[in-house]
Structures are given as structure tokens and as C-alpha cells.
Amino acid sequence: MSFDYDLFVIGGGSGGVRAARVAAGETGAKVALAEEDRYGGTCVIRGCVPKKLMVFASEYADMVEDAKSYGWSIAPGKFDWTAFRGKLEAELDRLEGVYRNLLKNAGVESFDQRARLVDPHTVELADGSRKTARHILLATGGRPVKPDMPGAELGITSNDIFHLPELPKSILIVGGGYIACEFAGILNGLGVAVTQFYRGAQILRGFDGEARGLVSEEMCQRGIDLHLGTNILEMARDGDGIRVKATNGTERVFDQVMFATGRAANADDIGLEALGVARGRKGEVVVDEYSQTGVPSIHAIGDVTDRVNLTPVAIREGMAFVETVFKGNPTPVDHALIPTAIFTQPEMGTVGLSEEDAAEQEPIEVYATSFKPMQQSFAGRSDRVLMKLVVSKATRKVLGCHIVAPGAGEMIQLAGVAVKMGATKEDFDRTVAVHPTMSEEIVTMKAPVRSA
Ligand code: NDP
């Protein structure tokens, strides 16, 4: 049977674009890709990239303050949101162009429209035209979800934050995950009065307890009004603001309310049900370790599969798909020991097991140190950082490494190599410290602080 294409990719985010261009560029496959929105997807257009630029923007006020302690006569000016937003939009336009060119240069044909599945080898585009392909790859990503409650439509999500006409004077952020905590720090740094409600006992559920405890403490120190064990009951318009009734009995008016209450897979209305492609409890597309769905010609990668929802993981999954399907080299995706960073202020970098999860698995030793870093301490700040290793008593392997510090994202990438290689505590010990740095403490911790 002959097809229009060897591969049709639905979704032009990081995962879909990588799979399309590698399949076309490296294997000579005839590839098409459909994207209904902007090329680059969540990461480039409304996630990691604009978020990180906002993190940078938000850090300058403190830097200016600290510069004074270092002898500079300097005063913070005013943050100009409109000027920054203009530059940000121009940068995103540039990056979208880069993504389009990557596809074009690899010989991928792109369609700027929505596509849905018709049968195991056919997709239908929004204009009604149909295309056939030997393989179809779903890389449709995810989207933020709001809780179902009275007035929820008044709240914004991370998709909207980059487009605000002006920065609010006050904002309530709901949630305690990556997105809620990162934007609490960003907006606080930009001068917005930030209140955060998290329904649980401590933010960043699932991460190392001591590390998230320190992030939470530092966020409060920096002026974020964090309320744990608190959620919204209902919200309603009140003049120019939004009146929020909370579970703790309070009622307050905020300029904006942002929900960062999780994300859902973009898997609705694309024809999965009729083809019998299975979906999981949260609506995600169910795949095996080769990213194959129950329909052999249809694969899925990235957030739509809700495995580990991170850009580099989607890219890995896309590469493994091409390796498996187009290069004849079956390659399962390795989801073990993925380093990750949360761009809170201070950042958290983490790889491997939390102390709590490791202790459930086997007897462990914990090495940890918390101290005031030189640069901030000299500037008169009371900020603390944390370096922590969770070590197996039996094998001496480092099971988890957790860093809370400025630049922790950069540090954990490198520590991640050692942990992925199976480094033991003694391997860390015999590595000479780089002095004077914060990260040298990761190789100078002599005695365990506790065993479990
Ligand atoms: P998360 O799933 O991490 O967090 C959702 C938060 O919302 C949790 O604190 C959750 O509470 C809370 N929540 C869920 N439902 C409700 C509700 N009905 N009412 C109140 N609170 C609720 O989602 P995010 O949106 O923060 O991030 C999504 C994913 O995106 C992350 O898991 C991560 O994979 C990725 N990401 C990665 C980043 C990075 O690498 N730096 C940055 C941003 C996102 P509870 O804990 O009680 O369930």
C-alpha cells in the first residue's frame, strides 16, 4: 500500500518537531507535520522559555540592592512591563521562526492547521483534506486546567500571564507545583504583591521534604504570602478586582487570580476513541516503552502521554521513536534518574530519590549541609542554601542529590551525570572541591547527619 507520507506528526512542540526533523533529515523519510497554534509549543511559546526570561527579569531588583553592599552607588529604577513584554514577544517570534526553519530545512512539509485521526493511517486536516501515512505520531502536548468552582472563569493560567496588558498590583496564585511556585517568585520579584494558596501541608509535593521546606521558607522570607492547607472556595468580580472566599474563612480582593492547578493531555476530539486508542485515568494516551499505542501505526510522545512532563524528556521520546521505527533499532525511553530544576527563588535542582522515597526502599544515610552563601551573606542577606546527598547503606551509591541554591539548575545537570553513572558517596569524596564555591560542599560532607 502506498501512502502520502512515511510519517505524519500531529503537534509542532519540542517533541514533535524533533521527531519530524530527525526522521526526515537523518533517514530520508517523507514527513509532514500539522500544528494548529504556534510552532515551538508549550516550552517555547508559553512555558520554559518565556518563564525563564521572566525569572531573569525578576532577579534584577535584588541584584541592584546587593550591588550597593558591594560598593556601587546605584538605585533600582522602575520595571517597565510593556517594554519587557515587547522584547519577549519579539524573541518568541524569532524562536518560532527558528522552529519553522528547522522543519523546512529538513524537508518536512508543514500544515498550519488542526489535524485529527480518521483511521490508523489517515489524518484529516481542518480544511477537510485527508493525508495518509505509514506512521502517525501524536505530540499534541498538554494544557493548564482550572478547578471546577463558581467564578473560575475569572482566573487566568500560565498561558495568559505572558500577555497581560499590565502587571497586577496583587495576585493570588493557586497551587503548589512547579508552575505555581515559579510564578510566585517571578511576580514577587517584579514587585507584585503575591499571595499563594496551597491545599496541602507543604508545596512541591513529591520532592525531597527538607529541600521543599527550605524553598518554602525562603519564598516566605522574600515576601510571598504563602498559605498552606488553604484553597479557594469561590470567587466573584468585585469592581476591578476579584473577591475570593478561602477555606480558611478569609475573604479578600485581588487584582488577578492565577490557577496553577495542574495540566491535562491534549487528547480530546482527535479521533482516538473511534480508533480504539486507549486513554488513561487522566485522559493521557496510553503507550508502551517504545511510545507505541495499542494501534501499531500510531505512536505518541511528550505531555500527551503524561509520563514525565518535561521538554528534554519529550525530545528523548521523539528521538527514541525515530530510532525504533525509522532506524530499525528498538530503543525504549529511559525515564530513570532524570535531573530537573524548579526555577523558584532560590532554585531547586534535584536528581534521583527524595530522602523519604529512598528510606522506604532501603536503609540509607543522609549527608546534608545548609549554610549562608558568601555572595548573599556579604550583601547582608540571610538566605540559606542546601546541599544534600541520599546514599544507599548497602551499595554506597548516591540515590538522590538535592540542591537548593542560586544556580542549582546549572549544578544539578553536572551532578546528574555522576548519579546517572552510579557514583558512590566515596566517588564524591575523592573529587577535589572547587574553591570557593557553594557546590564544593557537595564533595566535602564528611559524616552523615542521620540514617534511616
Ligand atoms: P503540578 O501537577 O506540578 O501541580 C499542580 C498543583 O495544583 C499541585 O500543587 C496540586 O496540589 C494543585 N491542585 C491540583 N488540583 C487542585 C485543585 N482542584 N484545587 C487546588 N489545588 C489543586 O502542575 P503544574 O501545573 O505546576 O506543572 C505541570 C507540569 O509541568 C509539572 O509537573 C512539570 O512536569 C512541568 N513543568 C516543569 C517545569 C520545570 O521543569 N522547571 C516548570 C513548569 C512546569 P496537590 O499537590 O495537592 O495535588
Side-chain angles (χ1 to χ4, degrees), residues 42 47-48 51 144-149 158 174-183 196-207 212 230-232 259-263 282 303 306-312 340-344 348:
T42 298
C48 322
K51 178 275 305 286
V145 287
K146 294 181 189 176
D148 191 13
M149 70 164 72
S158 57
V174 186
Y178 278 78
I179 297 179
C181 296
E182 290 182 342
F183 276 100
Q196 184 178 355
F197 286 178
Y198 173 52
R199 63 184 178 181
Q202 186 54 280
I203 55 167
L204 298 171
R205 183 165 62 81
F207 291 97
R212 62 201 185 113
T230 308
N231 209 345
I232 300 195
F259 290 105
T261 45
R263 296 176 61 86
K282 290 172 68 192
D303 288 7
D306 195 29
R307 286 175 280 179
V308 181
N309 297 336
L310 299 171
T311 301
T340 181
I342 308 157
F343 294 97
T344 40
M348 185 199 295

Side-chain angles (χ1 to χ4, degrees), residues 16 88 92 134 136 145 157 205 276 285 306 332 364 379 389 394 409 442:
L88 181 67
L92 301 187
R134 186 176 303 278
I136 295 171
V145 287
T157 69
R205 183 165 62 81
V285 175
D306 195 29
I364 54 162
L389 294 176
I442 210 84

Side-chain angles (χ1 to χ4, degrees), residues 365-386:
E365 277 180 2
V366 176
Y367 296 78
T369 176
S370 182
F371 56 95
K372 286 187 183 178
M374 189 195 234
Q375 185 181 3
Q376 288 74 12
S377 169
F378 185 85
R381 292 191 183 278
S382 58
D383 303 14
R384 279 192 311 125
V385 303
L386 171 74

Side-chain angles (χ1 to χ4, degrees), residues 289-412:
E289 58 185 331
Y290 299 102
S291 300
Q292 191 173 34
T293 70
V295 177
S297 59
I298 302 178
H299 288 70
I301 56 163
D303 288 7
V304 74
T305 63
D306 195 29
R307 286 175 280 179
V308 181
N309 297 336
L310 299 171
T311 301
V313 176
I315 290 174
R316 284 289 169 105
E317 290 166 357
M319 303 281 279
F321 158 78
V322 174
E323 201 62 34
T324 303
V325 174
F326 287 92
K327 296 190 180 176
N329 175 27
T331 306
V333 183
D334 178 6
H335 288 108
L337 295 173
I338 294 170
T340 181
I342 308 157
F343 294 97
T344 40
Q345 295 168 4
E347 291 174 17
M348 185 199 295
T350 176
V351 59
L353 297 176
S354 65
E355 177 180 341
E356 296 74 20
D357 288 349
E360 273 192 16
Q361 178 182 295
E362 61 182 280
I364 54 162
E365 277 180 2
V366 176
Y367 296 78
T369 176
S370 182
F371 56 95
K372 286 187 183 178
M374 189 195 234
Q375 185 181 3
Q376 288 74 12
S377 169
F378 185 85
R381 292 191 183 278
S382 58
D383 303 14
R384 279 192 311 125
V385 303
L386 171 74
M387 304 280 158
K388 176 168 179 178
L389 294 176
V390 179
V391 177
S392 161
K393 265 190 181 163
T395 65
R396 304 299 298 154
K397 274 192 184 167
V398 174
L399 302 172
C401 174
H402 311 285
I403 301 177
V404 177
E410 302 291 344
M411 296 180 205
I412 205 68

